[in-house]
Amino acid sequence: MKKFFIVSNIVLIVAVIILFFLHFGKKSKAAGDRPASHRDSARGAQQAQRIAYFEMDSIDDSYKYMKDAKEALIKKNKQVEDQINDLQKEVNAKIQEANQKGPSMSQAEQISYSKEIDELSRKNRDKIQRLGQSLSMERDVQLQKVRNKIQQYLKQFAQEKGYSYIVGTNENDNFYYKDSTLDITGELLSALNTEYDKENSDEKGK
């Protein structure tokens, strides 16, 4: 019975393979029967689509707007860290004060200190959480502004140069080969930095 079951499975697999080739053989034949003008038209449409790419790592390192945004975020992060440290010091100071007075305090005073420390700790934890959320939101906003600048320029650039796709790549992407003749990183950086310098100059001139 087991042998019959194996033979039946083999027959079934062979039948599926035959049907597969028959099915896709018809599709290939049908595609081959299309008029040459249709095939040429489709090929021409594909050839008309121009593609370029830029190295995102280079933009991160050399785009002045990106560098300034990162520096501003680093300063903001340091300010938040200092605020958090001050809040933690405030709680630690209250705990140290309670420990120093511990032997001389009554039970009621100990309970009062404990409640005060708990309330201060809770309040400062809430402040720390709000500071972290605010910093995260500001980071997202700043990086989105940079991204929008790049997108706005690339939209204009693609229209002028006739590109259908412009891809941002980095060392972790899934492109296994990139034709360096399609790399527009240098041109993109030069244009973005020129635009950024002009905007800063206009802003200072106001």
Side-chain angles (χ1 to χ4, degrees):
M1 182 69 179
K2 184 175 181 181
K3 184 176 180 180
F4 174 77
F5 178 72
I6 294 172
V7 172
S8 298
N9 278 350
I10 292 172
V11 172
L12 180 60
I13 291 170
V14 171
V16 169
I17 291 173
I18 291 171
L19 287 172
F20 178 84
F21 279 108
L22 286 174
H23 177 69
F24 284 97
K26 288 179 180 179
K27 280 191 174 182
S28 298
K29 185 178 179 182
D33 290 341
R34 290 177 183 171
S37 59
H38 287 190
R39 294 199 302 273
D40 292 342
S41 176
R43 190 180 300 114
Q46 291 176 348
Q47 291 174 347
Q49 292 182 345
R50 299 183 64 202
I51 298 174
Y53 72 89
F54 64 93
E55 299 288 355
M56 197 63 217
D57 293 339
S58 296
I59 300 297
D60 286 344
D61 294 336
S62 304
Y63 182 21
K64 294 178 182 178
Y65 187 16
M66 176 73 84
K67 291 167 70 175
D68 287 350
K70 285 182 177 180
E71 288 178 7
L73 288 172
I74 289 172
K75 289 180 181 178
K76 181 67 176 179
N77 187 73
K78 181 64 170 59
Q79 292 174 357
V80 169
E81 285 181 352
D82 290 343
Q83 288 178 277
I84 290 173
N85 287 333
D86 289 342
L87 292 171
Q88 291 173 337
K89 286 178 182 178
E90 186 180 10
V91 175
N92 291 336
K94 182 60 67 175
I95 293 173
Q96 187 176 2
E97 180 184 338
N99 289 335
Q100 289 174 348
K101 291 184 178 180
S104 62
M105 285 193 301
S106 65
Q107 185 175 4
E109 288 174 329
Q110 290 177 1
I111 292 173
S112 176
Y113 256 102
S114 179
K115 287 182 178 179
E116 188 176 350
I117 290 170
D118 287 344
E119 178 62 23
L120 182 62
S121 297
R122 183 195 63 76
K123 182 180 69 175
N124 286 1
R125 279 198 304 270
D126 290 343
K127 287 181 180 179
I128 290 171
Q129 185 176 6
R130 288 195 297 271
L131 286 170
Q133 290 173 344
S134 175
L135 180 63
S136 179
M137 288 176 62
E138 184 167 346
R139 183 188 65 241
D140 292 344
V141 167
Q142 289 298 328
L143 294 181
Q144 187 60 44
K145 285 181 179 179
V146 176
R147 182 182 176 87
N148 288 342
K149 280 285 185 184
I150 296 172
Q151 285 180 327
Q152 287 170 8
Y153 175 77
L154 285 177
K155 183 177 180 180
Q156 176 185 345
F157 180 84
Q159 290 173 347
E160 291 175 355
K161 302 291 185 177
Y163 287 109
S164 300
Y165 301 95
I166 298 179
V167 182
T169 68
N170 57 50
E171 60 181 8
N172 297 318
D173 61 33
N174 291 320
F175 289 94
Y176 295 98
Y177 171 76
K178 292 178 287 190
D179 184 348
S180 60
T181 62
L182 305 176
D183 186 357
I184 62 168
T185 306
E187 187 175 3
L188 174 61
L189 268 174
S190 177
L192 288 173
N193 284 331
T194 298
E195 183 182 56
Y196 184 61
D197 287 340
K198 183 178 183 304
E199 289 175 352
N200 281 345
S201 177
D202 292 343
E203 191 68 28
K204 290 177 182 177
K206 291 180 181 180

